[in-house]
Amino acid sequence: MHTISISNVFKFAIAGAIVALIIILLLIFSVPNPNPTWGKVWFVRPLVVTPFITSIGGALFYLINTKKTAFKFINLMLFLFSVFILLFFLWIGTILGLDGTLWN
């Protein structure tokens, strides 16, 4: 059985945050003329919220994948479930980060 390493949890959390940061930066830089009602620093909230929430998904991705069994089908299902969890946290982080600006 695989033991859980706190340093690996942090590595996966940071990886999730980096992926989210890249995606949110692409979304933010795709806005040529932001709405003036959003304020001058409207982009700060998505840059903080989205990577933070997705880092939780990255940590859960690692924690779910440490539960290996002798059955390859169950391992595949655990992997697919962990990918779904990561994508879910990325989606929710994007919604919460862009709420009131690009996500209306």
Side-chain angles (χ1 to χ4, degrees), residues 57-92:
L60 288 174
F61 179 88
Y62 173 74
L63 292 173
I64 292 170
N65 278 316
T66 58
K67 310 296 180 203
K68 297 295 180 188
T69 66
F71 303 104
K72 292 188 183 226
F73 178 73
I74 293 176
N75 290 339
L76 175 65
M77 295 307 292
L78 285 172
F79 175 76
L80 293 176
F81 180 67
S82 62
V83 168
F84 172 77
I85 293 292
L86 179 62
L87 292 176
F88 175 77
F89 274 85
L90 176 63
W91 176 62
I92 291 298

Side-chain angles (χ1 to χ4, degrees), residues 8-91:
N8 284 341
V9 172
F10 284 126
K11 287 177 188 176
F12 276 78
I14 290 170
I18 289 172
V19 168
L21 185 63
I22 291 169
I23 291 172
I24 205 70
L25 281 172
L26 291 173
L27 286 171
I28 288 173
F29 286 131
S30 70
V31 178
N33 299 317
N35 191 337
T37 61
W38 297 346
K40 292 188 179 205
V41 290
W42 67 273
F43 52 86
V44 172
R45 180 178 170 186
L47 288 175
V48 172
V49 171
T50 305
F52 175 73
I53 292 176
T54 308
S55 70
I56 297 169
L60 288 174
F61 179 88
Y62 173 74
L63 292 173
I64 292 170
N65 278 316
T66 58
K67 310 296 180 203
K68 297 295 180 188
T69 66
F71 303 104
K72 292 188 183 226
F73 178 73
I74 293 176
N75 290 339
L76 175 65
M77 295 307 292
L78 285 172
F79 175 76
L80 293 176
F81 180 67
S82 62
V83 168
F84 172 77
I85 293 292
L86 179 62
L87 292 176
F88 175 77
F89 274 85
L90 176 63
W91 176 62

Side-chain angles (χ1 to χ4, degrees), residues 96 98 103:
L96 292 175
L98 294 175
W103 197 282

